[in-house]
Amino acid sequence: MGEVRTRFAPSPTGYMHIGNLRTALYAYLIAKSNDGKFILRIEDTDQDRYVEGAIDVIYNTLKIVGIEHDEGPDIGGDYGPYVQSERKAIYEKYAKELIDRGGAYYCFCDKERLDNLREQSRNKKIPFKYDGHCRNLSKEEVVKRIEAGESYVIRQKMPQTGTTTFKDEVFGKITVENSSLDDNILIKSDGMPTYNFANVIDDHLMDITHVVRGSEYLSSTPKYNLLYKAFGWDIPTYIHLPLILREDGKKLSKREGDASFEDLYNKGYLKEAIINYIALLGWSPGTEEELFTLDELVERFKIEGLSKSPAIFDTEKLKWMNGEYIRKLSLEEFNKLATPYYDKAIKKAEVDYMILSKLMHTRTEVLSHIPEQIDFIDDLPDYDIDLYIHKRMKTTPESALKNLKEVYDVLEALDDWNFDNIHDNLMDLIGKLGVKNGQVLWPLRVALSGKQYTPGGGIELAELLGKEESLKRIKIGMEKLSKS
């Protein structure tokens, strides 16, 4: 086998959905695991769906996650142009050659006629299929109508008998009846090719050896193979990927509010975790391992590990994986990533972010969840004194008030305010009082945060909030308890 060449050929429609990114990743892994080339091609023939700035989204996403292409519109290569709208003349040339070979024909049917055919199909409750009205027009009539300025499309001339069979690396051998295939449009009336035609021409001319795409294209593949055969070209290796479904069994969809790569990234999921998770949506390394860097994926990836069963996008699993990647960061790296989220939640208080990061580093799964966990820092929330009751700690409002008074006196006397000092003095107090740690530390946590769940216990929160703020909040707690 010669050099393996794969391609990622997205349409610039505005965002990079998860299925799209997975296709790019698998195409990249197949190329790189075989020392091959990974090509980026922009399929913009459907100008109605084109979104300004969408090509930049594609470039930026690939760059962020580290999927580097060897050829593409921005870096060039020997097989360009790499944007379909710039290849219009190429498609026209091959469409005309296909007509000469008997594999395509000019169709002059207007919108009204086609709409009537569709209406008839709907009434009969059968799928629409073009009736071949223009299939057998003579050359003379075609020339006459073109010269008269009639609008036309070019359609593929499907064989009307027999079958077409192809092999897919994931789904195996697939056979279809040729009579079921529609004479689909190859060149539209504006001269632009359809995806069905352009992708075949481009894949052949760019020497693509492995075509990686979603399983929704399985049913169209026989049409593509008939084009390859009509031109006498080699057929590439097909790898159709299983669907990605939501947990409710529906297809992932931006319209349904499902996250794109950009959404996940902006929510504070790490790019390494996203790529790692997406790699496992339809592929298995054959072991129980789940955490892989991109380089490790290149080493381990094999087409045989792909599944034909739909993959379920499990947000909880992604959160868990993201948490694993966050814990792999150094404290300094985590602090840098967390700082924008601290800034959202902390507007007034003066807090040492590194102290906060020591608390948050092992307790964070998604960076965007940080603000809700630290919303007590700026302002002590109004809370109910029932929070002081903790069955396991055996605390009551009465014991909480008594112990908070003791804590207040000890902390007020401290000159050097740091974790070790606070810890040692409070442990001494607990020893003197002859009570369990929770009898003192639970009321302290509640008084300082007004919350049941916090990043860190009472001692950590006291260090974080500082002496003045801690004493002020303990006093508020004592007043609440005194009034009860």
Side-chain angles (χ1 to χ4, degrees):
M1 187 174 75
E3 181 180 62
V4 169
R5 287 174 60 83
T6 66
R7 48 71 166 176
F8 175 51
S11 299
T13 55
Y15 64 95
M16 181 79 82
H17 61 73
I18 294 304
N20 236 355
L21 184 55
R22 184 187 65 171
T23 300
L25 175 63
Y26 286 174
Y28 173 83
L29 294 175
I30 288 165
K32 295 303 159 186
S33 62
N34 289 286
D35 295 320
K37 295 276 195 322
F38 171 68
I39 289 90
L40 175 64
R41 186 171 78 218
I42 302 297
E43 300 201 336
D44 63 344
T45 54
D46 189 348
Q47 294 289 304
D48 292 340
R49 292 178 66 224
Y50 179 81
V51 173
E52 198 65 47
I55 292 176
D56 288 334
V57 170
I58 294 163
Y59 289 148
N60 291 341
T61 302
L62 296 180
K63 189 177 177 186
I64 287 167
V65 298
I67 296 177
E68 293 179 12
H69 47 285
D70 300 291
E71 301 166 27
D74 52 339
I75 56 175
D78 297 335
Y79 296 81
Y82 293 92
V83 178
Q84 284 188 335
S85 58
E86 295 169 20
R87 298 170 63 83
K88 195 172 165 185
I90 297 170
Y91 307 128
E92 283 173 9
K93 171 185 166 239
Y94 281 98
K96 282 173 180 158
E97 185 185 324
L98 192 62
I99 290 169
D100 292 340
R101 286 171 173 268
Y105 60 92
Y106 292 97
C107 172
F108 299 91
C109 293
D110 59 20
K111 185 176 181 299
E112 190 181 348
R113 182 174 189 279
L114 295 172
D115 285 347
N116 282 336
L117 287 177
R118 283 193 184 88
E119 184 65 32
Q120 286 170 33
S121 296
R122 267 196 298 275
N123 292 340
K124 291 176 186 170
K125 295 185 176 162
I126 56 170
F128 169 72
K129 186 168 173 276
Y130 178 64
D131 63 355
H133 182 70
C134 295
R135 249 177 104 102
N136 300 311
L137 295 177
S138 67
K139 268 190 181 177
E140 295 74 27
E141 187 172 352
V142 166
V143 170
K144 192 171 128 191
R145 292 176 78 163
I146 291 173
E147 284 176 351
E150 276 192 56
S151 178
Y152 65 84
V153 299
I154 295 176
R155 288 184 183 272
Q156 185 174 358
K157 188 180 271 188
M158 297 295 182
Q160 293 174 309
T161 58
T163 59
T164 297
T165 299
F166 73 97
K167 178 178 179 270
D168 179 76
E169 295 300 307
V170 178
F171 288 86
K173 195 181 271 192
I174 292 172
T175 300
V176 298
E177 295 287 334
N178 290 334
S179 59
S180 71
L181 301 174
D182 191 15
D183 287 1
N184 52 275
I185 294 169
L186 305 179
I187 302 286
K188 295 178 276 191
S189 56
D190 63 1
M192 288 296 265
T194 58
Y195 169 83
N196 290 324
F197 190 52
N199 89 85
V200 169
I201 302 301
D202 290 344
D203 285 345
H204 170 72
L205 294 180
M206 292 181 184
D207 282 343
I208 301 303
T209 59
H210 294 67
V211 171
V212 184
R213 60 183 168 222
S215 59
E216 64 269 27
Y217 291 105
L218 266 174
S219 60
S220 300
T221 302
K223 302 173 190 176
Y224 307 149
N225 282 2
L226 288 166
L227 286 173
Y228 281 106
K229 283 178 183 167
F231 282 114
W233 295 340
D234 290 340
I235 291 170
T237 299
Y238 290 116
I239 297 122
H240 285 87
L241 306 176
L243 289 171
I244 302 176
L245 303 178
R246 300 189 331 200
E247 287 159 272
D248 61 7
K250 290 182 181 171
K251 263 182 80 172
L252 278 187
S253 157
K254 181 76 173 172
R255 263 187 236 106
E256 297 286 325
D258 294 313
S260 65
F261 167 79
E262 204 172 5
D263 294 332
L264 293 173
Y265 189 59
N266 290 339
K267 278 180 185 170
Y269 286 91
L270 303 191
K271 60 187 180 184
E272 297 86 354
I274 300 171
I275 278 292
N276 189 159
Y277 182 69
I278 287 174
L280 299 173
L281 286 175
W283 172 79
S284 166
T287 66
E288 296 299 307
E289 291 169 273
E290 293 187 294
L291 300 179
F292 300 97
T293 64
L294 190 55
D295 287 343
E296 286 166 346
L297 285 169
V298 169
E299 279 175 38
R300 300 290 298 276
F301 193 84
K302 287 193 169 46
I303 292 170
E304 297 77 48
L306 291 169
S307 166
K308 63 174 78 166
S309 304
I312 304 297
F313 191 89
D314 181 347
T315 309
E316 289 307 310
K317 181 75 179 279
L318 175 59
K319 274 187 204 166
W320 166 81
M321 189 170 278
N322 200 59
E324 293 295 306
Y325 273 89
I326 283 176
R327 281 182 279 285
K328 284 182 174 188
L329 298 170
S330 70
L331 188 60
E332 288 72 20
E333 287 168 331
F334 174 75
N335 187 62
K336 190 176 174 186
L337 289 174
T339 290
Y341 298 93
Y342 296 160
D343 288 341
K344 276 182 190 171
I346 303 168
K347 304 289 185 193
K348 300 183 290 191
E350 285 185 24
V351 170
D352 183 329
Y353 280 3
M354 280 302 280
I355 293 175
L356 182 54
S357 284
K358 281 178 193 168
L359 301 182
M360 298 302 298
H361 189 192
T362 57
R363 294 175 170 88
T364 301
E365 282 193 319
V366 185
L367 294 169
S368 60
H369 295 173
I370 287 173
E372 69 201 42
Q373 293 182 70
I374 59 170
D375 56 0
F376 64 90
I377 292 175
D378 252 8
D379 293 299
L380 179 67
D382 188 24
Y383 62 93
D384 196 292
I385 62 160
D386 284 350
L387 269 187
Y388 285 104
I389 301 167
H390 196 301
K391 284 181 183 172
R392 193 163 55 81
M393 308 285 187
K394 297 189 169 66
T395 57
T396 62
E398 294 74 28
S399 69
L401 176 60
K402 176 174 168 293
N403 291 333
L404 274 184
K405 284 176 179 173
E406 298 281 358
V407 168
Y408 186 90
D409 292 340
V410 167
L411 295 184
E412 190 184 31
L414 281 187
D415 291 326
D416 193 2
W417 191 268
N418 59 59
F419 178 85
D420 290 339
N421 226 6
I422 298 165
H423 174 273
D424 293 348
N425 278 273
L426 288 180
M427 287 302 141
D428 285 347
L429 172 64
I430 288 165
K432 280 178 200 160
L433 295 174
V435 295
K436 299 271 190 194
N437 290 1
Q439 289 268 303
V440 169
L441 298 181
W442 179 257
L444 177 59
R445 178 196 285 230
V446 172
L448 294 179
S449 67
K451 295 180 82 163
Q452 190 172 3
Y453 302 106
T454 56
I459 297 169
E460 290 94 342
L461 297 184
E463 181 196 22
L464 181 69
L465 292 168
K467 182 174 181 178
E468 188 184 339
E469 183 66 19
S470 295
L471 292 175
K472 185 174 117 186
R473 293 185 179 200
I474 294 167
K475 208 177 240 182
I476 291 168
M478 288 168 9
E479 285 167 6
K480 271 180 176 283
L481 289 163
S482 299
K483 288 176 186 169
S484 65

